[in-house]
Amino acid sequence: AQSVTQLGSHVSVSEGALVLLRCNYSSSVPPYLFWYVQYPNQGLQLLLKYTTGATLVKGINGFEAEFKKSETSFHLTKPSAHMSDAAEYFCAVSKTGTASKLTFGTGTRLQVTL
Amino acid sequence: EAGVVQSPRYKIIEKKQPVAFWCNPISGHNTLYWYRQNLGQGPELLIRYENEEAVDDSQLPKDRFSAERLKGVDSTLKIQPAELGDSAVYLCASSFDRRTTDTQYFGPGTRLTVL
């Protein structure tokens, strides 16, 4: 079975500072990994995903994540936070080669301050 | 292009009452998902449809929950009777097909409050 652990339910950064949201996964087979963002009263929107190939994945809104198999991690980063980045972020995992069945983490709420 | 549409956006009912949620996926998307998101948690899959067929309903509490996807387009999720613990946001998502690499597009959800 796959699982995801997101370290830190709340993260606060200053505008312009580095954003780092942590995600560790557990999977008995090579995983596919995803980051979604959820703005208040909206559905989830895909930021980026790792399936195969390059381990550094670039997504929308300047976010990127790196798949590190040795560390079972898929941390999300953005060099410079913007006020509009304030939202809930979810890491998710699915099993390679199976039909879509995402297992989500509990989420990290990002707060951006002036 | 319109996204995934859900209605109603909010619903407040008393326990033991029935409730239904409606979802219209993105046009052309064959796979449809219903998730439940409890407060402070990530979404959890309830049921997945491929066209009209429910291919994964292992997490659906079948004693009180039911779902249908007539003609492989719109879908309805029903709870009867509702319990206090059913208070959550119910999310609908769709994807072009069932491959894991296909992006799931989520609707805004229906926030259910059971009193």
Side-chain angles (χ1 to χ4, degrees):
Chain A
Q2 289 73 43
S3 66
V4 165
T5 301
Q6 291 186 241
L7 297 176
S9 58
H10 289 83
V11 170
S12 181
V13 300
S14 300
E15 191 174 35
L18 171 71
V19 175
L20 171 61
L21 304 182
R22 299 178 185 274
C23 173
N24 288 89
Y25 70 90
S26 173
S27 178
S28 56
V29 297
Y32 288 168
L33 294 159
F34 307 79
W35 276 100
Y36 279 84
V37 60
Q38 186 175 33
Y39 297 101
N41 298 316
Q42 295 186 29
L44 282 74
Q45 179 184 8
L46 181 69
L47 277 177
L48 49 80
K49 62 183 178 184
Y50 168 79
T51 54
T52 59
T55 57
L56 181 62
V57 181
K58 295 185 184 299
I60 62 172
N61 302 338
F63 284 94
E64 63 181 36
E66 186 171 11
F67 170 60
K68 292 187 176 181
K69 184 178 179 180
S70 61
E71 299 178 7
T72 61
S73 69
F74 191 57
H75 302 331
L76 182 70
T77 61
K78 182 175 181 178
S80 177
H82 192 271
M83 296 295 289
S84 61
D85 295 327
E88 187 94 19
Y89 291 80
F90 292 93
C91 183
V93 63
S94 70
K95 215 163 49 170
T96 303
T98 67
S100 296
K101 187 166 184 176
L102 298 178
T103 299
F104 286 87
T106 53
T108 297
R109 182 166 299 277
L110 176 65
Q111 180 182 18
V112 182
T113 60
L114 289 172
Chain B
E1 179 180 304
V4 176
V5 179
Q6 291 188 247
S7 69
R9 291 294 312 276
Y10 304 90
K11 189 74 176 179
I12 300 174
I13 62 172
E14 294 189 346
K15 63 181 181 181
K16 300 185 181 180
Q17 294 299 306
V19 65
F21 315 123
W22 176 81
C23 172
N24 181 242
I26 293 173
S27 177
H29 280 193
N30 300 315
T31 306
L32 183 146
Y33 312 77
W34 281 104
Y35 288 86
R36 177 168 60 188
Q37 185 177 16
N38 293 314
L39 187 65
Q41 301 293 317
E44 295 178 321
L45 181 69
L46 291 174
I47 189 168
R48 175 170 62 88
Y49 281 93
E50 291 178 16
N51 299 303
E52 302 95 347
E53 184 181 0
V55 296
D56 184 356
D57 63 356
S58 57
Q59 301 302 310
L60 189 72
K62 298 181 183 62
D63 57 336
R64 297 183 300 108
F65 286 65
S66 64
E68 61 182 10
R69 191 184 184 197
L70 300 177
K71 300 182 181 179
V73 181
D74 296 4
S75 178
T76 302
L77 178 68
K78 298 178 181 177
I79 308 175
Q80 182 171 8
E83 297 179 351
L84 294 177
D86 296 330
S87 294
V89 176
Y90 290 84
L91 295 165
C92 179
S94 69
S95 64
F96 181 68
D97 67 27
R98 63 180 176 84
R99 289 175 305 168
T100 300
T101 54
D102 260 3
T103 297
Q104 294 185 30
Y105 294 86
F106 284 79
T110 297
R111 182 177 297 277
L112 173 67
T113 301
V114 182
L115 303 176

